[in-house]
Amino acid sequence: MKTTIKRLVLIALCMMMVFSLCCCKKTPSNDSVNSTVSNPVINIDDDTDVSSEGVSSDVTTSEDTDSTVNSDTDTDSTTSSNNSVIGSVTSSDPSDVASGNNSSGNTVIENTGDDTPTTSTTTNTENGHTITATYEWHPGLPDTNISYPITILVDNAPVNASQVTLSSSTSGVSFSGTTVTIPYSVRAAGKTITVTAKHSSGAKCDIIIPCFKYTQTFNDDFNGTTLDRTKWSEHSSLTTTPPADAASYQVIDRAKSVKDCFEVKDGKLNMLIKDQPCYDTANKIKYLYSECCLDTRGNFMQTYGLFQANIACAKFGGINTAFWLLPNGSYSTQYTNFKSEDPRWGLAEIDILEASVAFGNKDRKTFCISEHYYNYKDNYDHINEGKYFKVKDTITNFHTYSCVWTADALYYYVDSDLVRSTTGLQAKSAGGKSVQRAYMIIDVALYLDNAWVGKRDFTKSDLPIAGTVDWVRAYKFK
């Protein structure tokens, strides 16, 4: 009898251990986003036809687009962003809350990988010597020249630039020491450039530099006095008209997006924070302020390409000015890319710009680039991989924020400068999921006081407060 009891106890312990192991959740490695790969892969996607108005005709109707842009709950963190660390998002600065998609209990991991573009290395042995040429590739932007510094090693040792000669059969390519400069007039052809590096020993190798040709698919310069409704949509169901039972509503001291909370004048779009209460009649909530959120969902979406906006951010703390991309479909369940290291993790939100003058100890220069990943195989666990960067003057001046989205990488630019790249991505999931077309969102958002975008430093007499957009553009690779 005792022997039987002991056996039963051992079996129960084994079953408990197996159950514990099965319940453990796996999270991806911190450096999976920025792993270095050789020989950049260019993914040209031609699934979007451009109409005569410059807007893609490959558009999903509003009935097919069930993403909820303003699905945030009111669980804003009260931690100030004054402790933000330039170059990483840490738990001391809870900017894991996506603009318009605030949620609690998110996991924030610090991205420890280097934010560098794709590394391309060429090695060749000739005349008894081995020559290696390495450079950091990125696609660049339209109407800009790109310079690629080339690192040359001969027999695994650095060499003086005077010992190396660079040449190319492509007209217009220029050289200074071991730096190659390709003007946009050459890049615009969309052809691969071959550069030959020859050392004084006679060793030489060819360096392959892919070039993107951009074709514009979307443009809004906000000329005139009205918003172009063929390009932009508003999806708010809130009303600014007080309902009969408004006195019984819960009151929350923040803003929510409402329709027509903007003005178009002087060739610019002013997205406004207004001293105007709005009402969520379904949940019986009164928000003390109104804000603006516009998107191209149902009007313009595309897979891969370049997305740009020229924006001057709001001048007061407590307000987030944002430019971002969402894949078509329900939030957190549809993706633009998947992590190559663990394809269960899908990229569900690309924040090209999130900015508050309270970031960076109120230096008025700091903004954030974030990527939100969800594990659709493991209860939709969420990680935010974000980093902070600085503009040269102030975010309240106009700057162009850009993202080049390819099947295996993302490249972020401010004006013409590359500031971050994310590699180690792919277009296929761990099974059953595929890449979706994305649409653009621009907005200003007023959060609870002293939340992740900092303490409010304005008075009601300063309202309305604007985040201003000069233009928005998108391009395809051709």
Side-chain angles (χ1 to χ4, degrees):
M1 182 70 176
K2 290 182 178 179
T3 301
T4 301
I5 293 174
K6 288 181 179 180
R7 288 177 178 174
L8 290 173
V9 170
L10 287 172
I11 291 171
L13 288 172
C14 290
M15 291 178 67
M16 289 174 66
M17 290 175 66
V18 171
F19 178 80
S20 175
L21 289 171
C22 290
C23 291
C24 290
K25 295 180 179 179
K26 297 179 180 179
T27 55
S29 168
N30 289 8
D31 59 4
S32 63
V33 167
N34 290 294
S35 58
T36 301
V37 297
S38 62
N39 298 326
V41 177
I42 301 180
N43 293 276
I44 307 298
D45 181 85
D46 291 319
D47 69 348
T48 303
D49 296 325
V50 180
S51 69
S52 59
E53 291 78 21
V55 179
S56 166
S57 61
D58 185 16
V59 170
T60 304
T61 63
S62 58
E63 287 79 5
D64 299 322
T65 56
D66 55 353
S67 293
T68 303
V69 175
N70 288 290
S71 60
D72 46 324
T73 62
D74 295 288
T75 55
D76 303 64
S77 168
T78 57
T79 304
S80 170
S81 63
N82 291 345
N83 295 324
S84 61
V85 180
I86 303 302
S88 65
V89 170
T90 67
S91 57
S92 64
D93 189 342
S95 59
D96 55 318
V97 183
S99 121
N101 288 291
N102 186 3
S103 58
S104 61
N106 295 330
T107 302
V108 181
I109 69 172
E110 183 175 350
N111 188 340
T112 58
D114 293 333
D115 283 314
T116 56
T118 307
T119 300
S120 181
T121 302
T122 302
T123 301
N124 187 41
T125 300
E126 190 170 341
N127 292 339
H129 297 279
T130 299
I131 183 171
T132 301
T134 302
Y135 76 101
E136 306 295 339
W137 182 88
H138 64 96
L141 302 176
D143 302 316
T144 61
N145 302 336
I146 300 183
S147 293
Y148 296 109
I150 311 294
T151 299
I152 305 292
L153 300 178
V154 174
D155 299 331
N156 294 320
V159 297
N160 192 290
S162 62
Q163 298 175 290
V164 178
T165 301
L166 300 180
S167 62
S168 176
S169 60
T170 302
S171 177
V173 177
S174 61
F175 308 95
S176 176
T178 55
T179 296
V180 180
T181 298
I182 306 176
Y184 187 66
S185 59
V186 174
R187 293 174 47 229
K191 297 181 179 180
T192 297
I193 305 297
T194 300
V195 173
T196 300
K198 185 175 182 179
H199 185 248
S200 56
S201 65
K204 63 182 179 180
C205 65
D206 288 333
I207 304 160
I208 307 301
I209 304 178
C211 295
F212 280 4
K213 177 182 180 180
Y214 291 107
T215 300
Q216 191 173 97
T217 53
F218 181 96
N219 181 61
D220 196 343
D221 292 318
F222 300 106
N223 294 324
T225 57
T226 59
L227 185 71
D228 189 340
R229 300 286 181 173
T230 68
K231 298 177 180 178
W232 299 100
S233 299
E234 300 171 282
H235 300 281
S236 174
S237 60
L238 275 65
T239 178
T240 56
T241 302
D245 59 345
S248 65
Y249 278 29
Q250 176 189 1
V251 178
I252 297 181
D253 184 20
R254 63 166 295 177
K256 280 286 188 172
S257 67
V258 298
K259 294 181 178 179
D260 300 318
C261 198
F262 60 83
E263 60 181 2
V264 180
K265 69 176 185 179
D266 301 326
K268 295 177 176 60
L269 168 71
N270 292 318
M271 306 181 294
L272 301 177
I273 302 291
K274 287 185 177 182
D275 183 16
Q276 173 181 260
C278 60
Y279 302 87
D280 179 351
T281 57
N283 297 296
K284 295 188 178 299
I285 299 174
K286 173 184 177 180
Y287 297 95
L288 295 183
Y289 302 90
S290 295
E291 63 189 30
C292 175
C293 181
L294 303 173
D295 64 61
T296 64
R297 178 167 41 127
N299 296 307
F300 171 82
M301 297 182 291
Q302 72 179 29
T303 308
Y304 309 135
L306 165 64
F307 304 84
Q308 296 182 298
N310 187 254
I311 297 177
C313 298
K315 298 180 179 180
F316 294 94
I319 299 172
N320 177 37
T321 306
F323 171 48
W324 40 310
L325 302 178
L326 283 183
N328 183 46
S330 298
Y331 183 77
S332 80
T333 68
Q334 304 299 323
Y335 311 105
T336 62
N337 301 84
F338 301 90
K339 285 179 174 287
S340 298
E341 185 176 81
D342 187 348
R344 298 174 306 165
W345 290 90
L347 180 53
E349 178 179 336
I350 302 171
D351 297 324
I352 304 168
L353 166 70
E354 288 190 301
S356 167
V357 294
F359 288 169
N361 290 318
K362 301 181 181 180
D363 64 5
R364 306 179 76 83
K365 295 182 176 183
T366 304
F367 69 98
C368 185
I369 297 172
S370 297
E371 297 162 0
H372 293 261
Y373 295 86
Y374 288 82
N375 188 332
Y376 69 91
K377 290 284 190 180
D378 196 357
N379 201 34
Y380 290 94
D381 279 358
H382 170 228
I383 56 174
N384 170 22
E385 296 183 344
K387 289 207 170 190
Y388 290 94
F389 302 89
K390 293 178 183 287
V391 299
K392 294 176 181 178
D393 45 23
T394 172
I395 58 172
T396 59
N397 287 342
F398 282 99
H399 292 279
T400 300
Y401 301 89
S402 306
C403 176
V404 177
W405 167 30
T406 74
D408 59 359
L410 295 164
Y411 302 89
Y412 300 91
Y413 299 80
V414 176
D415 299 323
S416 60
D417 297 325
L418 178 73
V419 294
R420 177 181 181 177
S421 64
T422 299
T423 57
L425 301 177
Q426 64 184 40
K428 293 183 178 180
S429 72
K433 291 288 185 178
S434 59
V435 167
Q436 300 295 317
R437 291 172 296 172
Y439 56 92
M440 297 181 286
I441 305 169
I442 49 176
D443 73 311
V444 288
L446 174 64
Y447 288 84
L448 294 174
D449 194 17
N450 207 30
W452 69 281
V453 286
K455 187 173 180 59
R456 297 175 189 172
D457 55 6
F458 61 85
T459 64
K460 288 201 172 186
S461 63
D462 294 312
L463 296 164
I465 296 169
T468 303
V469 184
D470 189 8
W471 49 261
V472 178
R473 294 170 187 158
Y475 298 79
K476 293 282 285 186
F477 313 132
K478 295 292 184 181

